[in-house]
Amino acid sequence: MKKKDLYALACIFWFAGCSSPASDEIEIVQNLFPAGFRLELYREGLPFSPTRSMPPNTVPEPVVPGEDNPEKELSDLCSHIEYVVFKQENPQEPIRHRTYNIDSGEDFGIVYDTLTAGNYQVCFLAHSSKDITFSENILSFDEVSDSFYHSENLIVGQNEVTNEYISLKRIIGKIEFRASDPVPNDIKTFEITVDNYPGCFNIQTGKGIISSAPYHLSHSFTEEEKLQSGTSHSFLSFVPDGDTKISVVLTSTDISYMVMRTRTISDIFPILNKTIRYTGVLYTRPQTDEPDNTFQLTIGNNGKWDATEDKELPIE
């Protein structure tokens, strides 16, 4: 839908509300003024892989849009939009929360509303998580998906029609673990346990909130995945408010349910719109003469992302 179409439809809403002051109900509608928002992705943000990567697939690197890699639309990366409005006089309590779904119609990405004259904070979060709860400005997810966010202060004037294009920016980072060893033939599972995981989101501040329980990921290997090289595992995370860092325990288990290798990585802090990649031994049992049991940490630089950053982890 073009901008002029959005404006025209907003005008229809407004004139319809002003057409017949025959009742108290219509009188209330007369004090509401249409607002329309068209959401689109911030073009500096390159796409993550749409799902968590598990063997045998490595995480695809972000690519610069071109003829072979067209730019992504909002509907390509997200299936839900959370729209939340706060009145500036009482910012603790939202006056509006709506969820728009991609299967609800062809206008996914366009938000219509009517508001009384006043000052507001309007917030938008696009994501693909299936189950969410909303309480006290906090969104809790069954699983964090690729998510895009925008918040702004909005002034609605008397007899004014509001039409805006909203540019959503990625609000999460990715933590990835890439194996330098092949998948052993006798492995059964690989598990990731995350403490201090910012799996909730404050829609008003745009910051992650630490979940009350650890976050668990588990992958059971198939026969086809065994002996593969270059495998990786990853998860997405909001960026927390403050300086609380994530701690991760990686555990590989064999077919007899015996632990093959355990790795602990502390002091991880997600970075907005970036992948932090740890490369090292993930699966095979430690050797008695193993001199250097560390990861190599890199922060990938693709497209317009910043330069790679290397860090050394403590020896086990």
Side-chain angles (χ1 to χ4, degrees):
M1 183 176 291
K2 297 180 180 180
K3 186 174 181 181
K4 64 180 182 180
D5 299 327
L6 185 63
Y7 178 83
L9 186 55
C11 289
I12 291 172
F13 287 161
W14 184 53
F15 287 122
C18 297
S19 60
S20 178
S23 68
D24 291 340
E25 182 180 356
I26 298 299
E27 193 68 31
I28 294 173
V29 172
Q30 284 186 320
N31 295 323
L32 297 175
F33 305 101
F37 307 93
R38 183 182 179 91
L39 311 184
E40 56 187 19
L41 297 178
Y42 179 60
R43 294 306 177 186
E44 297 293 323
L46 299 176
F48 281 131
S49 171
T51 58
R52 186 172 68 250
S53 178
M54 287 295 183
N57 301 312
T58 57
V59 175
E61 297 294 339
V63 291
V64 178
E67 184 175 342
D68 297 331
N69 299 288
E71 290 183 336
K72 297 289 185 180
E73 299 298 331
L74 181 63
S75 57
D76 295 325
L77 298 178
C78 301
S79 56
H80 307 287
I81 297 170
E82 308 298 326
Y83 169 62
V84 183
V85 182
F86 299 88
K87 197 82 180 276
Q88 294 287 10
E89 298 92 282
N90 183 23
Q92 290 76 29
E93 295 290 335
I95 65 168
R96 187 97 73 252
H97 172 222
R98 295 174 182 165
T99 300
Y100 297 86
N101 301 313
I102 193 171
D103 56 3
S104 60
E106 61 181 13
D107 283 343
F108 182 75
I110 298 179
V111 173
Y112 303 108
D113 202 354
T114 53
L115 299 167
T116 60
N119 298 335
Y120 300 89
Q121 180 187 4
V122 291
C123 307
F124 306 87
L125 181 73
H127 63 92
S128 295
S129 300
K130 294 181 180 179
D131 297 318
I132 67 166
T133 58
F134 181 66
S135 177
E136 297 180 354
N137 307 339
I138 306 299
L139 289 162
S140 300
F141 303 84
D142 60 330
E143 184 175 8
V144 175
S145 62
D146 203 359
S147 303
F148 300 83
Y149 173 75
H150 178 79
S151 173
E152 66 174 48
N153 292 327
L154 175 70
I155 299 176
V156 176
Q158 291 281 352
N159 301 321
E160 288 186 358
V161 176
T162 299
N163 292 287
E164 289 195 16
Y165 277 74
I166 302 296
S167 181
L168 301 176
K169 294 185 178 181
R170 179 173 280 123
I171 199 66
I172 50 90
K174 180 192 288 185
I175 311 299
E176 178 189 319
F177 304 96
R178 177 165 292 182
S180 60
D181 55 331
V183 178
N185 196 46
D186 60 342
I187 196 171
K188 184 173 181 63
T189 61
F190 182 80
E191 297 182 355
I192 302 175
T193 301
V194 187
D195 285 319
N196 295 329
Y197 178 60
C200 303
F201 184 70
N202 188 323
I203 190 102
Q204 193 171 29
T205 66
K207 293 294 184 180
I209 304 295
I210 303 300
S211 301
S212 58
Y215 178 54
H216 296 280
L217 293 174
S218 179
H219 177 72
S220 296
F221 291 92
T222 65
E223 290 301 317
E224 291 75 16
E225 292 170 343
K226 294 179 179 180
L227 304 181
Q228 296 283 338
S229 298
T231 56
S232 63
H233 310 262
S234 64
F235 63 89
L236 302 177
S237 170
F238 294 109
V239 177
D241 192 10
D243 56 1
T244 301
K245 296 183 178 180
I246 292 174
S247 177
V248 176
V249 177
L250 309 175
T251 306
S252 58
T253 306
D254 66 16
I255 55 178
S256 299
Y257 299 96
M258 299 294 293
V259 173
M260 302 173 67
R261 181 180 286 266
T262 299
R263 305 295 306 271
T264 300
I265 307 96
S266 302
D267 298 330
I268 302 174
F269 196 85
I271 301 176
L272 208 63
N273 197 36
K274 295 183 184 293
T275 296
I276 300 178
R277 177 180 299 129
Y278 292 87
T279 302
V281 178
L282 295 183
Y283 310 123
T284 54
R285 294 175 176 85
Q287 304 297 317
T288 56
D289 58 347
E290 195 170 278
D292 183 18
N293 195 16
T294 62
F295 277 122
Q296 177 188 1
L297 169 61
T298 62
I299 300 176
N301 176 21
N302 288 278
K304 296 182 180 301
W305 292 8
D306 295 335
T308 297
E309 188 175 307
D310 294 301
K311 295 181 181 180
E312 185 173 313
L313 295 173
I315 298 175
E316 290 186 31

